[in-house]
Short mmCIF file of all heavy atoms in Angstrom, two decimals:
data_model
loop_
_atom_site.label_atom_id
_atom_site.label_comp_id
_atom_site.label_asym_id
_atom_site.label_seq_id
_atom_site.Cartn_x
_atom_site.Cartn_y
_atom_site.Cartn_z
N GLU O 34 69.90 24.93 -34.92
CA GLU O 34 70.45 23.62 -34.92
C GLU O 34 71.37 23.37 -33.74
O GLU O 34 72.46 23.99 -33.74
CB GLU O 34 71.11 23.32 -36.26
CG GLU O 34 71.67 21.89 -36.33
CD GLU O 34 72.27 21.57 -37.70
OE1 GLU O 34 72.40 22.45 -38.55
OE2 GLU O 34 72.67 20.39 -37.92
N GLY O 35 70.98 22.60 -32.77
CA GLY O 35 71.83 22.28 -31.64
C GLY O 35 72.31 23.55 -31.00
O GLY O 35 71.58 24.48 -30.73
N ASP O 36 73.65 23.55 -30.72
CA ASP O 36 74.24 24.71 -30.03
C ASP O 36 74.81 25.75 -31.01
O ASP O 36 75.39 26.75 -30.60
CB ASP O 36 75.46 24.20 -29.15
CG ASP O 36 74.95 23.32 -28.00
OD1 ASP O 36 73.82 23.54 -27.54
OD2 ASP O 36 75.74 22.42 -27.60
N TYR O 37 74.59 25.57 -32.31
CA TYR O 37 75.00 26.55 -33.31
C TYR O 37 74.22 27.86 -33.20
O TYR O 37 73.04 27.79 -32.76
CB TYR O 37 74.87 25.98 -34.74
CG TYR O 37 75.83 24.85 -35.01
CD1 TYR O 37 75.30 23.57 -35.18
CD2 TYR O 37 77.19 25.09 -35.18
CE1 TYR O 37 76.16 22.52 -35.49
CE2 TYR O 37 78.07 24.00 -35.46
CZ TYR O 37 77.54 22.70 -35.62
OH TYR O 37 78.35 21.66 -35.91
N ALA O 38 74.78 28.94 -33.64
CA ALA O 38 74.05 30.20 -33.75
C ALA O 38 72.85 30.01 -34.66
O ALA O 38 72.99 29.33 -35.71
CB ALA O 38 74.94 31.32 -34.16
N PRO O 39 71.74 30.65 -34.40
CA PRO O 39 70.59 30.57 -35.31
C PRO O 39 71.02 31.09 -36.72
O PRO O 39 71.80 32.06 -36.82
CB PRO O 39 69.56 31.46 -34.75
CG PRO O 39 69.95 31.71 -33.32
CD PRO O 39 71.47 31.53 -33.24
N VAL O 40 70.39 30.53 -37.75
CA VAL O 40 70.60 30.92 -39.13
C VAL O 40 69.29 31.40 -39.70
O VAL O 40 68.29 30.72 -39.56
CB VAL O 40 71.20 29.76 -39.97
CG1 VAL O 40 71.31 30.19 -41.41
CG2 VAL O 40 72.52 29.32 -39.39
N LEU O 41 69.33 32.57 -40.37
CA LEU O 41 68.16 33.15 -40.99
C LEU O 41 68.09 32.77 -42.44
O LEU O 41 69.07 32.92 -43.20
CB LEU O 41 68.15 34.68 -40.82
CG LEU O 41 68.17 35.17 -39.35
CD1 LEU O 41 68.30 36.69 -39.29
CD2 LEU O 41 66.93 34.68 -38.63
N TYR O 42 66.91 32.28 -42.91
CA TYR O 42 66.74 31.90 -44.28
C TYR O 42 65.72 32.89 -44.85
O TYR O 42 64.59 33.03 -44.40
CB TYR O 42 66.19 30.47 -44.31
CG TYR O 42 67.27 29.42 -44.17
CD1 TYR O 42 67.71 29.14 -42.87
CD2 TYR O 42 67.80 28.77 -45.21
CE1 TYR O 42 68.72 28.15 -42.69
CE2 TYR O 42 68.80 27.79 -45.04
CZ TYR O 42 69.23 27.53 -43.76
OH TYR O 42 70.23 26.58 -43.62
N VAL O 43 66.10 33.47 -45.95
CA VAL O 43 65.33 34.55 -46.57
C VAL O 43 64.73 34.07 -47.88
O VAL O 43 65.45 33.46 -48.72
CB VAL O 43 66.24 35.82 -46.90
CG1 VAL O 43 65.44 36.95 -47.58
CG2 VAL O 43 66.91 36.32 -45.59
N PRO O 44 63.44 34.27 -48.14
CA PRO O 44 62.78 33.80 -49.40
C PRO O 44 63.43 34.51 -50.58
O PRO O 44 63.76 35.68 -50.61
CB PRO O 44 61.33 34.22 -49.30
CG PRO O 44 61.15 34.68 -47.84
CD PRO O 44 62.46 34.97 -47.29
N ARG O 45 63.71 33.63 -51.60
CA ARG O 45 64.30 34.16 -52.83
C ARG O 45 63.43 35.23 -53.48
O ARG O 45 63.99 36.16 -54.09
CB ARG O 45 64.53 33.03 -53.85
CG ARG O 45 65.62 32.09 -53.42
CD ARG O 45 65.81 31.06 -54.51
NE ARG O 45 66.63 29.98 -53.98
CZ ARG O 45 67.17 29.07 -54.74
NH1 ARG O 45 66.97 29.01 -56.00
NH2 ARG O 45 67.97 28.16 -54.17
N LYS O 46 62.13 35.19 -53.30
CA LYS O 46 61.26 36.16 -53.93
C LYS O 46 61.48 37.56 -53.37
O LYS O 46 61.14 38.56 -54.00
CB LYS O 46 59.80 35.73 -53.75
CG LYS O 46 59.25 35.79 -52.32
CD LYS O 46 57.80 35.42 -52.26
CE LYS O 46 57.29 35.59 -50.84
NZ LYS O 46 57.26 36.93 -50.33
N ASP O 47 62.14 37.66 -52.24
CA ASP O 47 62.36 38.94 -51.58
C ASP O 47 63.82 39.43 -51.76
O ASP O 47 64.25 40.44 -51.20
CB ASP O 47 62.09 38.84 -50.06
CG ASP O 47 60.63 38.62 -49.77
OD1 ASP O 47 59.80 38.88 -50.62
OD2 ASP O 47 60.32 38.15 -48.68
N LEU O 48 64.59 38.68 -52.63
CA LEU O 48 65.98 39.06 -52.91
C LEU O 48 66.15 39.42 -54.36
O LEU O 48 65.48 38.99 -55.24
CB LEU O 48 66.89 37.85 -52.53
CG LEU O 48 66.90 37.44 -51.08
CD1 LEU O 48 67.55 36.08 -50.96
CD2 LEU O 48 67.65 38.45 -50.24
N ALA O 49 67.15 40.23 -54.57
CA ALA O 49 67.61 40.57 -55.98
C ALA O 49 68.43 39.41 -56.54
O ALA O 49 69.62 39.46 -56.56
CB ALA O 49 68.36 41.88 -56.01
N MET O 50 67.75 38.28 -56.92
CA MET O 50 68.40 37.10 -57.39
C MET O 50 69.29 37.32 -58.59
O MET O 50 70.18 36.51 -58.85
CB MET O 50 67.41 35.96 -57.54
CG MET O 50 66.83 35.45 -56.23
SD MET O 50 68.04 34.86 -55.09
CE MET O 50 68.78 33.46 -55.96
N ALA O 51 69.07 38.38 -59.33
CA ALA O 51 69.87 38.64 -60.54
C ALA O 51 71.34 38.88 -60.10
O ALA O 51 72.28 38.79 -60.91
CB ALA O 51 69.36 39.79 -61.30
N LEU O 52 71.52 39.20 -58.81
CA LEU O 52 72.92 39.43 -58.30
C LEU O 52 73.60 38.20 -57.84
O LEU O 52 74.78 38.25 -57.38
CB LEU O 52 72.90 40.49 -57.18
CG LEU O 52 72.33 41.84 -57.52
CD1 LEU O 52 72.19 42.74 -56.29
CD2 LEU O 52 73.20 42.52 -58.61
N PHE O 53 72.90 37.05 -57.87
CA PHE O 53 73.50 35.80 -57.37
C PHE O 53 73.61 34.84 -58.51
O PHE O 53 72.68 34.59 -59.29
CB PHE O 53 72.63 35.24 -56.31
CG PHE O 53 72.56 36.02 -55.05
CD1 PHE O 53 71.53 36.95 -54.82
CD2 PHE O 53 73.52 35.82 -54.01
CE1 PHE O 53 71.49 37.72 -53.66
CE2 PHE O 53 73.42 36.57 -52.86
CZ PHE O 53 72.47 37.48 -52.67
N ASP O 54 74.81 34.21 -58.55
CA ASP O 54 75.01 33.06 -59.51
C ASP O 54 75.33 31.85 -58.77
O ASP O 54 76.16 31.82 -57.78
CB ASP O 54 76.22 33.37 -60.40
CG ASP O 54 76.00 34.53 -61.39
OD1 ASP O 54 74.89 34.71 -61.82
OD2 ASP O 54 76.99 35.22 -61.70
N GLN O 55 74.69 30.70 -59.15
CA GLN O 55 74.94 29.45 -58.42
C GLN O 55 76.40 29.03 -58.75
O GLN O 55 76.82 29.15 -59.86
CB GLN O 55 73.98 28.39 -58.88
CG GLN O 55 74.06 27.14 -58.01
CD GLN O 55 72.91 26.22 -58.16
OE1 GLN O 55 71.91 26.54 -58.83
NE2 GLN O 55 73.00 25.07 -57.56
N SER O 56 77.13 28.66 -57.75
CA SER O 56 78.50 28.22 -57.89
C SER O 56 78.54 26.73 -57.99
O SER O 56 77.58 26.00 -57.86
CB SER O 56 79.37 28.77 -56.72
OG SER O 56 79.10 28.01 -55.54
N ASP O 57 79.83 26.23 -58.20
CA ASP O 57 80.00 24.78 -58.30
C ASP O 57 80.13 24.11 -56.90
O ASP O 57 80.13 22.93 -56.76
CB ASP O 57 81.26 24.46 -59.09
CG ASP O 57 81.11 24.80 -60.52
OD1 ASP O 57 79.98 24.80 -61.06
OD2 ASP O 57 82.14 25.08 -61.17
N HIS O 58 80.28 24.95 -55.81
CA HIS O 58 80.44 24.46 -54.49
C HIS O 58 79.19 23.79 -53.96
O HIS O 58 78.09 24.30 -54.25
CB HIS O 58 80.88 25.59 -53.55
CG HIS O 58 81.24 25.16 -52.20
ND1 HIS O 58 82.31 24.35 -51.93
CD2 HIS O 58 80.70 25.43 -51.00
CE1 HIS O 58 82.44 24.10 -50.66
NE2 HIS O 58 81.46 24.76 -50.05
N ALA O 59 79.32 22.67 -53.26
CA ALA O 59 78.18 22.01 -52.67
C ALA O 59 78.65 21.33 -51.40
O ALA O 59 79.82 20.94 -51.31
CB ALA O 59 77.56 21.02 -53.66
N THR O 60 77.73 21.18 -50.44
CA THR O 60 78.07 20.45 -49.21
C THR O 60 76.90 19.56 -48.87
O THR O 60 75.75 19.70 -49.44
CB THR O 60 78.35 21.36 -48.01
OG1 THR O 60 77.23 22.23 -47.80
CG2 THR O 60 79.59 22.17 -48.25
N HIS O 61 77.12 18.62 -47.96
CA HIS O 61 76.03 17.76 -47.55
C HIS O 61 75.96 17.76 -46.02
O HIS O 61 76.94 17.68 -45.29
CB HIS O 61 76.27 16.26 -47.92
CG HIS O 61 75.29 15.37 -47.44
ND1 HIS O 61 73.96 15.26 -47.94
CD2 HIS O 61 75.29 14.54 -46.33
CE1 HIS O 61 73.36 14.37 -47.24
NE2 HIS O 61 74.09 13.89 -46.30
N CYS O 62 74.77 17.95 -45.47
CA CYS O 62 74.53 17.89 -44.05
C CYS O 62 73.62 16.64 -43.81
O CYS O 62 72.58 16.54 -44.46
CB CYS O 62 73.78 19.17 -43.55
SG CYS O 62 73.20 19.01 -41.85
N PRO O 63 74.00 15.79 -42.91
CA PRO O 63 73.21 14.59 -42.69
C PRO O 63 71.79 14.92 -42.14
O PRO O 63 70.90 14.09 -42.25
CB PRO O 63 74.01 13.77 -41.67
CG PRO O 63 74.94 14.74 -41.06
CD PRO O 63 75.20 15.85 -42.08
N HIS O 64 71.61 16.09 -41.57
CA HIS O 64 70.35 16.46 -41.01
C HIS O 64 69.48 17.30 -41.92
O HIS O 64 68.24 17.24 -41.82
CB HIS O 64 70.54 17.22 -39.71
CG HIS O 64 71.39 16.46 -38.71
ND1 HIS O 64 70.97 15.35 -38.10
CD2 HIS O 64 72.67 16.69 -38.36
CE1 HIS O 64 71.97 14.91 -37.28
NE2 HIS O 64 72.99 15.66 -37.41
N LYS O 65 70.12 18.12 -42.79
CA LYS O 65 69.33 19.03 -43.64
C LYS O 65 69.33 18.60 -45.10
O LYS O 65 68.41 18.93 -45.86
CB LYS O 65 69.86 20.41 -43.49
CG LYS O 65 69.68 21.04 -42.06
CD LYS O 65 70.08 22.49 -41.97
CE LYS O 65 71.61 22.68 -42.10
NZ LYS O 65 72.44 22.31 -41.00
N GLY O 66 70.34 17.92 -45.56
CA GLY O 66 70.43 17.49 -46.94
C GLY O 66 71.58 18.15 -47.72
O GLY O 66 72.56 18.57 -47.11
N ASP O 67 71.44 18.25 -49.01
CA ASP O 67 72.50 18.81 -49.88
C ASP O 67 72.28 20.31 -50.06
O ASP O 67 71.21 20.76 -50.43
CB ASP O 67 72.47 18.13 -51.24
CG ASP O 67 72.82 16.65 -51.15
OD1 ASP O 67 73.71 16.29 -50.33
OD2 ASP O 67 72.17 15.84 -51.83
N ALA O 68 73.37 21.10 -49.85
CA ALA O 68 73.31 22.53 -49.97
C ALA O 68 74.02 22.93 -51.28
O ALA O 68 75.13 22.43 -51.58
CB ALA O 68 73.97 23.20 -48.80
N SER O 69 73.40 23.89 -51.99
CA SER O 69 74.08 24.50 -53.10
C SER O 69 74.40 25.91 -52.71
O SER O 69 73.80 26.49 -51.79
CB SER O 69 73.16 24.47 -54.34
OG SER O 69 71.91 25.07 -54.04
N TYR O 70 75.44 26.51 -53.38
CA TYR O 70 75.95 27.76 -52.97
C TYR O 70 75.85 28.79 -54.11
O TYR O 70 75.79 28.43 -55.25
CB TYR O 70 77.46 27.65 -52.53
CG TYR O 70 77.54 26.91 -51.20
CD1 TYR O 70 77.35 25.56 -51.12
CD2 TYR O 70 77.76 27.61 -50.05
CE1 TYR O 70 77.40 24.91 -49.90
CE2 TYR O 70 77.85 26.98 -48.82
CZ TYR O 70 77.68 25.62 -48.77
OH TYR O 70 77.68 25.01 -47.57
N PHE O 71 75.86 30.07 -53.65
CA PHE O 71 75.70 31.17 -54.59
C PHE O 71 76.73 32.23 -54.40
O PHE O 71 77.04 32.61 -53.21
CB PHE O 71 74.29 31.80 -54.38
CG PHE O 71 73.22 30.85 -54.79
CD1 PHE O 71 72.76 29.92 -53.93
CD2 PHE O 71 72.61 30.98 -56.07
CE1 PHE O 71 71.74 29.02 -54.28
CE2 PHE O 71 71.55 30.07 -56.40
CZ PHE O 71 71.19 29.10 -55.52
N THR O 72 77.29 32.76 -55.44
CA THR O 72 78.27 33.83 -55.43
C THR O 72 77.50 35.12 -55.62
O THR O 72 76.67 35.27 -56.59
CB THR O 72 79.34 33.64 -56.50
OG1 THR O 72 80.10 32.49 -56.12
CG2 THR O 72 80.28 34.79 -56.56
N LEU O 73 77.78 36.15 -54.80
CA LEU O 73 77.18 37.45 -55.00
C LEU O 73 78.04 38.26 -55.93
O LEU O 73 79.22 38.38 -55.74
CB LEU O 73 77.10 38.16 -53.59
CG LEU O 73 76.69 39.63 -53.59
CD1 LEU O 73 75.32 39.83 -54.16
CD2 LEU O 73 76.79 40.16 -52.17
N GLN O 74 77.41 38.77 -57.01
CA GLN O 74 78.12 39.59 -57.95
C GLN O 74 77.95 41.07 -57.53
O GLN O 74 77.03 41.76 -57.87
CB GLN O 74 77.51 39.35 -59.38
CG GLN O 74 77.66 37.96 -59.92
CD GLN O 74 79.12 37.46 -59.95
OE1 GLN O 74 80.02 38.22 -60.17
NE2 GLN O 74 79.28 36.15 -59.82
N ALA O 75 78.94 41.51 -56.74
CA ALA O 75 78.92 42.86 -56.18
C ALA O 75 79.69 43.82 -57.13
O ALA O 75 80.45 43.37 -57.91
CB ALA O 75 79.56 42.88 -54.80
N LYS O 76 79.39 45.13 -57.00
CA LYS O 76 80.12 46.12 -57.81
C LYS O 76 81.65 45.99 -57.59
O LYS O 76 82.38 46.29 -58.50
CB LYS O 76 79.67 47.49 -57.43
CG LYS O 76 78.30 47.89 -58.00
CD LYS O 76 77.99 49.32 -57.65
CE LYS O 76 76.65 49.69 -58.25
NZ LYS O 76 76.32 51.11 -57.98
N SER O 77 82.05 45.68 -56.38
CA SER O 77 83.44 45.59 -56.04
C SER O 77 84.08 44.29 -56.52
O SER O 77 85.32 44.07 -56.41
CB SER O 77 83.65 45.73 -54.56
OG SER O 77 82.92 44.72 -53.86
N GLY O 78 83.28 43.38 -57.03
CA GLY O 78 83.75 42.06 -57.46
C GLY O 78 82.97 40.96 -56.82
O GLY O 78 82.18 41.18 -55.89
N PRO O 79 83.13 39.73 -57.33
CA PRO O 79 82.37 38.62 -56.79
C PRO O 79 82.71 38.29 -55.33
O PRO O 79 83.86 38.36 -54.94
CB PRO O 79 82.69 37.44 -57.71
CG PRO O 79 83.91 37.86 -58.43
CD PRO O 79 84.04 39.34 -58.39
N ILE O 80 81.66 37.92 -54.61
CA ILE O 80 81.85 37.38 -53.23
C ILE O 80 81.45 35.96 -53.26
O ILE O 80 80.27 35.64 -53.26
CB ILE O 80 81.00 38.24 -52.23
CG1 ILE O 80 81.38 39.76 -52.29
CG2 ILE O 80 81.20 37.66 -50.85
CD1 ILE O 80 80.45 40.67 -51.49
N ALA O 81 82.50 35.14 -53.34
CA ALA O 81 82.33 33.71 -53.63
C ALA O 81 81.56 33.07 -52.48
O ALA O 81 81.78 33.28 -51.32
CB ALA O 81 83.64 33.02 -53.77
N ASN O 82 80.57 32.20 -52.85
CA ASN O 82 79.81 31.37 -51.94
C ASN O 82 79.30 32.19 -50.73
O ASN O 82 79.43 31.68 -49.57
CB ASN O 82 80.69 30.18 -51.46
CG ASN O 82 81.16 29.37 -52.67
OD1 ASN O 82 80.36 29.13 -53.58
ND2 ASN O 82 82.39 28.98 -52.69
N ALA O 83 78.72 33.32 -50.99
CA ALA O 83 78.13 34.14 -49.91
C ALA O 83 76.92 33.63 -49.35
O ALA O 83 76.50 33.97 -48.20
CB ALA O 83 77.93 35.56 -50.49
N ALA O 84 76.22 32.77 -50.09
CA ALA O 84 74.89 32.27 -49.65
C ALA O 84 74.78 30.77 -49.98
O ALA O 84 75.52 30.28 -50.84
CB ALA O 84 73.81 33.01 -50.38
N TRP O 85 73.90 30.07 -49.28
CA TRP O 85 73.61 28.73 -49.57
C TRP O 85 72.10 28.47 -49.49
O TRP O 85 71.38 29.23 -48.95
CB TRP O 85 74.34 27.75 -48.65
CG TRP O 85 73.93 27.74 -47.24
CD1 TRP O 85 72.97 26.87 -46.67
CD2 TRP O 85 74.38 28.56 -46.18
NE1 TRP O 85 72.80 27.17 -45.40
CE2 TRP O 85 73.62 28.16 -45.02
CE3 TRP O 85 75.34 29.58 -46.06
CZ2 TRP O 85 73.86 28.82 -43.78
CZ3 TRP O 85 75.56 30.20 -44.88
CH2 TRP O 85 74.82 29.82 -43.72
#
Side-chain angles (χ1 to χ4, degrees):
E34 181 175 5
D36 294 332
Y37 293 109
V40 175
L41 299 175
Y42 283 78
V43 180
R45 290 183 190 192
K46 68 178 184 64
D47 294 339
L48 296 166
M50 288 304 296
L52 299 175
F53 293 93
D54 291 329
Q55 191 164 353
S56 74
D57 292 333
H58 186 62
T60 58
H61 176 77
C62 172
H64 306 289
K65 294 184 293 285
D67 295 322
S69 54
Y70 288 76
F71 295 80
T72 294
L73 171 60
Q74 298 301 332
K76 284 185 180 181
S77 58
I80 302 173
N82 303 318
W85 70 90

